[in-house]
Amino acid sequence: MPARKPLISGNWKMNLNHFEATSTLDKLRYLLTKDDYEAVDVSVHAPFTDIRTVQTFLESEKVSISIGAQNCHWETNGAFTGEIAPGMLAKLNVAYVIVGHSERREIFGETDIEVARKVTAVFANGMTPILCCGETLAEREGEATHGKVTGQVHAGIDALSAEQVAAMVIAYEPIWAIGTGRTASSEDAQQVCAWIRAKVAEMKGADAAAAVRIQYGGSVKGTNAAELMAQPDIDGALVGGAALDADEFARIVQYRLA
Ligand code: PGA
């Protein structure tokens, strides 16, 4: 089985204007080394208004961080006021697009059907989707985690080929752990990531399941990254709050040195 290269992604959410984005990346440029990029893939998911600036900075300084977005629309173009087409992101060398983050699902009412359309549109434009899934605290306490997460994964990957699923990223983010300082224990996170991989195997075969990268997200910090990353089915992290601080994000990327 080929080793899965971990992917550590910084989700800036609605933070950091384009000046702040540049200064954060400038710090990361000095903090991260060639060895880091060999061991780990790194992406930053900036607000749309920063992406052109992020691209210019990373390309002119030759920094091996991939450009990410936090969302996109599923249509190619047209009368969708306020939306961003996936092709517009691809033109800016965006490599990864977060799709179906719990904040999009909960605050903006995104449905599984819309999420699935976005996943397909991201692939159609040559980028890699990071499909998010995760349960609420009530669902966890009601022992509904398995059904919720596997249902979201089912809806998100159903229309895809095995090869596409092998190439994508799935992020398991328990909603009760996002921005709360409450991280899932590494055992709980591992258990759900293993369920997700088993679901992928059942739907798309063993090769896709062995290749798909599964991130954990929810209060990941420099102090807990190594333990989470040591779990066999966790192949990376989707980092929110801690990604806004270059030193802290670098500590997470360098978890193997901890
Ligand atoms: P957090 O956010 O690291 O601030 O918990 C994670 C996310 O929502 O992607």
Side-chain angles (χ1 to χ4, degrees):
M1 186 178 87
R4 296 182 293 267
K5 189 173 181 189
L7 171 65
I8 308 280
S9 303
N11 173 13
W12 292 352
K13 307 192 180 184
M14 198 172 72
N15 298 294
L16 306 185
N17 62 39
H18 72 287
F19 295 114
E20 294 161 338
T22 304
S23 70
T24 303
L25 292 174
D26 201 30
K27 287 183 202 146
L28 286 174
R29 172 164 73 115
Y30 287 106
L31 290 165
L32 299 181
T33 67
K34 200 165 154 281
D35 286 351
D36 295 329
Y37 298 120
E38 263 163 34
V40 176
D41 287 335
V42 183
S43 63
V44 291
H45 297 254
F48 291 132
T49 48
D50 294 2
I51 290 179
R52 178 65 170 148
T53 306
V54 167
Q55 180 200 19
T56 304
F57 182 88
L58 294 177
E59 291 178 3
S60 64
E61 301 299 329
K62 301 192 174 18
V63 184
S64 305
I65 295 176
S66 297
I67 309 166
Q70 302 172 15
N71 181 33
C72 66
H73 194 58
W74 57 84
E75 291 289 349
T76 312
N77 62 275
F80 300 99
T81 302
E83 292 293 326
I84 301 288
M88 297 170 179
L89 300 175
K91 263 268 182 274
L92 297 172
N93 273 352
V94 168
Y96 298 96
V97 184
I98 297 171
V99 178
H101 189 280
S102 59
E103 287 152 16
R104 303 263 358 135
R105 294 178 189 260
E106 299 227 308
I107 305 170
F108 301 102
E110 247 176 49
T111 65
D112 275 344
I113 292 171
E114 289 166 344
V115 170
R117 283 186 189 147
K118 291 181 181 194
V119 168
T120 300
V122 169
F123 268 126
N125 285 276
M127 300 177 290
T128 300
I130 300 180
L131 168 68
C132 297
C133 59
E135 81 287 3
T136 63
L137 187 56
E139 287 162 344
R140 172 152 288 263
E141 287 170 349
E143 295 185 4
T145 301
H146 184 270
K148 172 78 176 290
V149 169
T150 56
Q152 288 177 327
V153 170
H154 186 285
I157 72 170
D158 198 27
L160 304 178
S161 67
E163 291 68 29
Q164 285 175 317
V165 175
M168 74 186 289
V169 181
I170 298 174
Y172 167 56
E173 297 203 302
I175 295 168
W176 48 270
I178 294 178
T180 58
R182 237 185 109 178
T183 321
S185 70
S186 48
E187 294 77 23
D188 285 346
Q190 161 58 24
Q191 182 184 44
V192 180
C193 291
W195 288 340
I196 293 170
R197 204 176 298 287
K199 182 72 185 172
V200 170
E202 175 198 313
M203 290 179 67
K204 302 291 171 181
D207 289 352
V212 65
R213 289 189 287 184
I214 304 178
Q215 295 177 315
Y216 167 79
S219 297
V220 176
K221 308 183 264 291
T223 48
N224 60 23
E227 196 190 327
L228 288 160
M229 293 298 296
Q231 303 303 314
D233 286 298
I234 299 180
D235 310 313
L238 184 52
V239 184
L244 300 176
D245 180 81
D247 291 295
E248 187 65 12
F249 188 59
R251 274 194 281 278
I252 296 169
V253 171
Q254 294 167 338
Y255 69 90
R256 68 191 193 288
L257 309 176

